[in-house]
Amino acid sequence: MGVLRSVVLAGGGTGGHIYPLLAFADCLRRHFPEVRITTLGSPKGMENELIPPAGYDLRVIPAFQLPRALNLDLLRTPDRMYKSAHAAGKVIDEVEADVVVGFGGYVSVPAYLAAWRRELPIVVHEVNVPPGVANRMGMKFTKNIAVGFPHQPQLAESLRDARVVGVPLRTAITGLDRPALRPEALAHFGLRPDLPVLFVSGGSSGARTINLAVAGAAKKLSHAGVQVLHVQGGRNDPFDVPSDLPVPYVVVPYLSDMQLGYAAADLMLCRGGAITVAETTALGLPAIYVPYPYSNQEQRRNAGPVVEAGGGLLVDNAELSPDWVERTVIPLARDPQRLAAMGTAASAYGRRDGDEALLDFVCQAVAGR
Ligand SMILES: CC(=O)N[C@H]1[C@@H](OP(=O)(O)OP(=O)(O)OC[C@H]2O[C@@H](n3ccc(=O)[nH]c3=O)[C@H](O)[C@@H]2O)O[C@H](CO)[C@@H](O)[C@@H]1O
């Protein structure tokens, strides 16, 4: 592994782009304690809440929104894009970057453009199929494409030559021993050790359909002895849960210590965001996936292979209702043997070394420049 002196990481918008960036930054720091790490973000994305507290230098550059479809008009409507690329370039020059690694989100595009103009190595890390529009643009400037899951190169022409590296996950998650942390996690949330826990999360922004369906089944869950730990999601409206339930139903707005939720859980109900899928499988946590229906089917593709491998269930967003929760989730949550079998299958699909594998790939890209 060669030496890296200065690395620019670009990615923003939602947690799905930012957490892998942070996990990769931590890995870089472990291997190269002296490396200068600079991140590029946009003014309004979650990076502003997540990156500075993690101790990394965040440079905010002017935002511009890409159209969902990628076409050359982009290059002909340049004002805002050039302004952003110019700002990205100034940062790249100032920190004398060796390489730009992008994780997707609009803010990656100016970083890719500026790096390309300077003939700097670019690495694109993509976790979705089809790849997001920002990374599709990045792929026009580099052959160094890394993906999160083994099935992805077969599903998209642009990913055909991509290296499968997995998803960089935070060490709080890769280092998690769920049974060991479980007592502390249960106590933290005020949950009982003698009853199963359903952990509900709609991804980094939350999911209204999930919130309403599970909260609507609160009474049935509770009377069946299933406890609930429910993350409302940072950008979601509050919902009502009856206050006189016989077993705990705990609602939290957002979990910055997500590992505590995973440690408390026996079963998860979640969207199929790529990082969430990478985490549940790395941890061997059985999950019911409810893919977000409005984004290119990417979440269905993320969760599908795990479910085929036996690591969980998949339900359409339109089918998820309090009734469905009662009929399907309650019996599963009360069946430890089935949960254990699903957990083993999930675990066989998951991996915990995505950060190291991506670092290896980045070092090769820099060495081969
Ligand atoms: C609606 C949409 O377009 N979603 C996309 C978005 O999802 P989203 O931003 O929700 O990302 P993921 O589900 O992939 O990851 C969520 C991340 O947030 C963390 N977390 C979540 C809740 C919480 O309270 N605390 C916490 O730390 C999770 O542990 C995980 O690390 O980006 C993903 C990765 O590009 C895509 O696959 C998803 O399709």
Side-chain angles (χ1 to χ4, degrees):
M1 210 182 262
V3 174
L4 293 174
R5 284 154 309 174
S6 177
V7 178
V8 167
L9 306 176
T14 67
H17 291 133
I18 301 157
Y19 285 119
L21 179 155
L22 284 174
F24 182 66
D26 288 348
C27 181
L28 264 172
R29 176 124 306 149
R30 279 198 308 278
H31 285 270
F32 302 104
E34 305 295 324
V35 70
R36 179 168 190 172
I37 299 173
T38 312
T39 71
L40 291 177
S42 53
K44 289 195 183 144
M46 286 176 80
E47 53 270 32
N48 295 282
E49 292 139 49
L50 298 177
I51 291 184
Y56 292 104
D57 180 13
L58 172 67
R59 305 294 182 91
V60 174
I61 60 175
F64 77 99
Q65 188 133 358
L66 285 168
R68 296 293 292 184
L70 197 58
N71 55 47
L72 285 176
D73 287 347
L74 274 172
L75 301 172
R76 298 190 193 103
T77 52
D79 276 12
R80 297 192 70 172
M81 182 156 66
Y82 281 148
K83 214 168 137 198
S84 296
H86 182 70
K90 267 177 78 174
V91 175
I92 288 172
D93 290 341
E94 180 202 321
V95 304
E96 298 179 30
D98 301 314
V99 58
V100 167
V101 186
F103 293 84
Y106 296 129
V107 73
S108 313
V109 175
Y112 294 142
L113 271 174
W116 171 69
R117 285 200 55 197
R118 287 160 176 75
E119 299 184 8
L120 269 186
I122 298 170
V123 174
V124 172
H125 185 265
E126 176 57 61
V127 290
N128 297 301
V129 175
V133 68
N135 273 354
R136 288 215 301 282
M137 187 135 179
M139 288 170 196
K140 301 208 178 296
F141 302 131
T142 181
K143 292 201 174 344
N144 302 318
I145 302 163
V147 292
F149 299 99
H151 62 277
Q152 293 176 326
Q154 292 106 66
L155 291 181
E157 180 62 25
S158 56
L159 301 177
R160 210 189 50 209
D161 299 321
R163 169 89 64 93
V164 181
V165 298
V167 177
L169 299 176
R170 292 166 279 173
T171 49
I173 286 168
T174 53
L176 175 60
D177 177 344
R178 285 174 54 226
L181 190 65
R182 186 175 165 88
E184 183 189 329
L186 293 172
H188 176 84
F189 295 115
L191 294 163
R192 286 167 47 173
D194 56 330
L195 293 173
V197 175
L198 173 68
F199 179 34
V200 182
S201 162
S204 64
S205 322
R208 192 165 173 272
T209 315
I210 291 181
N211 288 351
L212 297 182
V214 182
K219 271 199 172 137
K220 302 275 187 199
L221 284 158
S222 197
H223 286 280
V226 178
Q227 309 182 86
V228 180
L229 171 60
H230 193 149
V231 183
Q232 178 185 309
R235 300 182 172 181
N236 254 263
D237 296 333
F239 47 86
D240 288 328
V241 174
S243 55
D244 57 345
L245 296 172
V247 307
Y249 190 120
V250 178
V251 181
V252 291
Y254 188 81
L255 273 185
S256 27
D257 291 324
M258 194 68 176
Q259 69 278 9
L260 287 175
Y262 287 133
D266 294 285
L267 168 66
M268 183 154 190
L269 191 146
C270 53
R271 285 264 184 246
I275 318 309
T276 298
V277 172
E279 290 171 351
T280 51
T281 55
L283 295 173
L285 180 62
I288 297 171
Y289 298 100
V290 192
Y292 180 67
Y294 309 111
S295 58
N296 288 328
Q297 299 295 307
E298 68 189 25
Q299 296 202 352
R300 184 169 283 275
R301 293 197 184 100
N302 294 336
V306 185
V307 172
E308 271 163 40
L313 303 178
L314 196 133
V315 58
D316 275 342
N317 192 64
E319 266 178 53
L320 185 73
S321 64
D323 263 5
W324 195 91
V325 173
E326 185 188 348
R327 273 184 283 116
T328 312
V329 182
I330 291 177
L332 179 58
R334 288 162 45 117
D335 188 340
Q337 277 182 343
R338 209 172 145 214
L339 289 178
M342 279 185 171
T344 306
S347 180
Y349 180 86
R351 60 186 284 185
R352 297 190 182 205
D353 65 342
D355 53 352
E356 300 282 340
L358 179 59
L359 180 56
D360 211 38
F361 188 59
V362 168
C363 289
Q364 284 174 28
V366 173
R369 66 178 294 212

